[in-house]
């Protein structure tokens, strides 16, 4: 079902082979849960250490 991969650095969900934020190809297919960040100033984003809005994995192995 999930064709997306998660960036191992920022946990952003990526459909291609490179994370648009980190420019890394260090991606993992082994991730769980989706965290949708609409506002990077929100408490959730701060707690998760997320700086940009987007879709993120909750856990990346
Ligand atoms: Zn990244």
């Amino acid at each position: 079902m999930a064709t997306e991969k998660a960036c191992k650095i920022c946990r952003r969900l990526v459909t291609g082979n490179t994370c648009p934020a980190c420019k890394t190809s260090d991606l993992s297919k082994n991730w769980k849960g989706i965290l949708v960040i609409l506002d990077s100033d929100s408490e959730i984003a701060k707690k998760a250490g997320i700086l940009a809005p987007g879709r993120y994995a909750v856990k990346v192995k």
Side-chain angles (χ1 to χ4, degrees):
M1 185 191 103
T3 53
E4 286 166 299
K5 292 176 228 170
C7 172
K8 287 185 184 176
I9 297 169
C10 70
R11 311 206 307 272
R12 182 187 278 266
L13 294 178
V14 177
T15 45
N17 291 315
T18 350
C19 172
C22 310
K23 315 285 181 203
T24 179
S25 56
D26 195 9
L27 310 173
S28 173
K29 283 184 194 169
N30 198 355
W31 56 270
K32 273 188 182 175
I34 294 177
L35 187 63
V36 179
I37 300 296
L38 301 174
D39 178 1
S40 55
D41 289 327
S42 71
E43 285 303 313
I44 298 170
K46 282 178 188 166
K47 272 191 182 175
I50 288 165
L51 303 173
R55 292 164 73 246
Y56 295 83
V58 176
K59 279 189 180 177
V60 182
K61 282 188 186 174

